[in-house]
Amino acid sequence: MKKDNDGILLGPGVSRRDFMKMSAFTGLAASLGGLVSLDFLSASPAQAQGMGTVKPFTFAVMADHHTMGPKNNYMKMRVERCVQEVNNLSLKPDFIMSLGDVVHDGSDEQMKFFDELIAPLKAPVKYITGEHDWYLDMGESYGKHYGKTTYSWDHNGVHFIALNTVMLRDFWTARGLTAQERMDIAGTLNHPLPGPFHVGEKQLVWLRDDLKKVKKTTPIIIFSHSPLYYYYKPWNFWTEDAPEVHLLLEGYEHVQVIHGHVHHIVKNQIGSIKFASSLSTGWPHPYPTSGLPAGSPKMPRANPANIFGGLGWDTMGVDDQGEVSVKYEEWSRVKA
Ligand SMILES: [Fe+2]
Ligand SMILES: [Fe+2]
């Protein structure tokens, strides 16, 4: 694989301009959040004939809790509600994916607080990092509590990939910023200093090697904190080298990316890669004034009088062809 002038990894015979054209946003094949039933788990004709490659299953997703320890009781109550509801699912999830920003200020104490809150969860939990978990100590506490943030595994015929998509250029060393200043700046969506998130060359090389083991027909589900496409740069709903990831995924027939960070419902599709956000339990971000992918379902405006308004978590169903159905367990739609 060669690099262009920007140091971007490109495939054979593909210029950066060609690639950007290929990656232009396309329309959505999204269904409305909150209205999807669990019918996807019934056997399709293909499965009935023994053609299915995936054993259908469900998993739960939770994201952007921003717990702050005992100083913010609302954040605590929202995580408790999420834990209770995931445990009460009639169809037990095979695992729970945590998409990052489990805490707000990146400290070991806040992570301990969060760990105690989610300890009652019955299904195993997997993690990736958000920027709020990382920039106080550059992942030291995150690693101690949650382990790796770049890894893959196979489950029921699906290849899962977890990435750290919140890498920032070093804006702190030359300025002599403290760890707390670095955290505060990295955690401010529209701060002008950090620039956009990256996956980074090291993870791109890891991903290229990981995908070598995966057949083009194997369904792939990727977890990222930031959207793995260009959504809205002024708030860093953006991963600068996402196109390089897309290029590595070229030719794979079923790819679904599930991301956090935006704190609202948004779906997109670029080529054959589908994207869906997770709801947050922390707070709902408004929609940006531009950049919302055409046809993406919008959630109702959050009710400020309802401490659960615009918040929630998600259930994901994977059918026998590896297609993912997202059910947004949005608390505004149900009695709080
Ligand atoms: Fe967040
Ligand atoms: Fe975030």
Side-chain angles (χ1 to χ4, degrees):
M1 193 172 288
K2 66 175 182 176
K3 288 181 189 173
D4 74 352
N5 292 339
D6 299 330
I8 300 297
L9 293 164
L10 296 172
V14 181
S15 73
R16 183 177 173 82
R17 183 176 293 173
D18 290 335
F19 181 68
M20 296 312 289
K21 259 193 252 167
M22 287 190 297
S23 296
F25 294 162
T26 64
L28 279 244
S31 53
L32 264 180
L35 299 179
V36 181
S37 75
L38 293 177
D39 294 344
F40 49 76
L41 290 173
S42 57
S44 70
Q47 189 190 23
Q49 293 164 32
M51 291 162 62
T53 53
V54 174
K55 188 179 164 202
F57 62 99
T58 64
F59 60 97
V61 171
M62 55 185 197
D64 293 284
H65 310 291
H66 292 267
T67 45
M68 303 174 188
K71 78 177 177 187
N72 189 319
N73 200 43
Y74 286 149
M75 299 304 179
K76 174 176 177 279
M77 288 164 67
R78 291 160 181 156
V79 174
E80 285 170 340
R81 178 170 176 172
C82 173
V83 167
Q84 192 177 48
E85 290 179 356
V86 172
N87 278 345
N88 286 342
L89 281 169
S90 53
L91 204 58
K92 299 299 172 202
D94 285 13
F95 63 90
I96 299 157
M97 190 70 210
S98 168
L99 290 179
D101 285 353
V102 297
V103 297
H104 191 65
D105 304 305
S107 71
D108 180 60
E109 293 73 31
Q110 288 188 356
M111 288 179 194
K112 275 185 197 153
F113 185 86
F114 175 77
D115 293 348
E116 283 171 26
L117 284 181
I118 64 155
L121 281 171
K122 292 173 190 161
V125 186
K126 292 176 177 290
Y127 298 87
I128 54 170
T129 189
E131 76 278 18
H132 285 267
D133 309 319
W134 194 263
Y135 282 95
L136 184 67
D137 58 13
M138 300 305 291
E140 194 183 323
S141 294
Y142 175 89
K144 195 173 109 187
H145 287 262
Y146 310 117
K148 283 185 186 175
T149 187
T150 307
Y151 55 99
S152 65
W153 74 100
D154 296 303
H155 183 77
N156 284 19
V158 174
H159 187 66
F160 284 92
I161 295 170
L163 294 173
N164 175 354
T165 61
V166 296
M167 305 310 292
L168 294 169
R169 304 284 189 220
D170 184 346
F171 62 86
W172 52 90
T173 304
R175 293 180 174 86
L177 301 181
T178 65
Q180 189 61 58
E181 286 168 335
R182 179 179 60 208
M183 177 71 254
D184 292 345
I185 290 170
T188 302
L189 276 187
N190 57 355
H191 200 290
L193 265 191
F197 291 130
H198 289 78
V199 172
E201 188 151 342
K202 209 171 147 187
Q203 278 190 112
L204 287 171
V205 170
W206 175 89
L207 181 61
R208 185 195 62 198
D209 290 344
D210 185 71
L211 287 171
K212 278 180 189 163
K213 300 171 285 188
V214 184
K215 282 189 206 159
K216 299 287 186 193
T217 51
T218 300
I220 295 173
I221 297 176
I222 299 178
F223 298 112
S224 68
H225 182 69
S226 57
L228 211 48
Y229 62 94
Y230 294 171
Y231 179 8
Y232 191 63
K233 203 167 191 178
W235 295 350
N236 214 0
F237 292 175
W238 194 276
T239 306
E240 186 70 14
D241 48 3
E244 281 68 67
V245 176
H246 301 181
L247 194 60
L248 291 173
L249 291 164
E250 210 174 40
Y252 288 91
E253 293 168 11
H254 300 280
V255 183
Q256 173 75 56
V257 179
I258 300 164
H259 66 87
H261 188 60
V262 298
H263 297 214
H264 58 233
I265 291 171
V266 58
K267 291 187 178 181
N268 194 10
Q269 182 166 345
I270 299 172
S272 61
I273 307 174
K274 294 176 180 171
F275 303 83
S277 69
S278 168
L279 285 165
S280 159
T281 70
W283 65 76
H285 280 313
Y287 283 94
T289 51
S290 64
L292 185 68
S296 182
K298 270 186 149 186
M299 61 192 196
R301 191 184 170 96
N303 176 0
N306 176 355
I307 67 160
F308 297 107
L311 304 173
W313 53 282
D314 333 287
T315 314
M316 307 282 164
V318 183
D319 73 10
D320 64 324
Q321 301 301 304
E323 288 295 318
V324 180
S325 299
V326 183
K327 181 169 182 274
Y328 287 110
E329 309 286 353
E330 192 197 338
W331 291 329
S332 304
R333 292 179 193 272
V334 292
K335 230 186 166 116

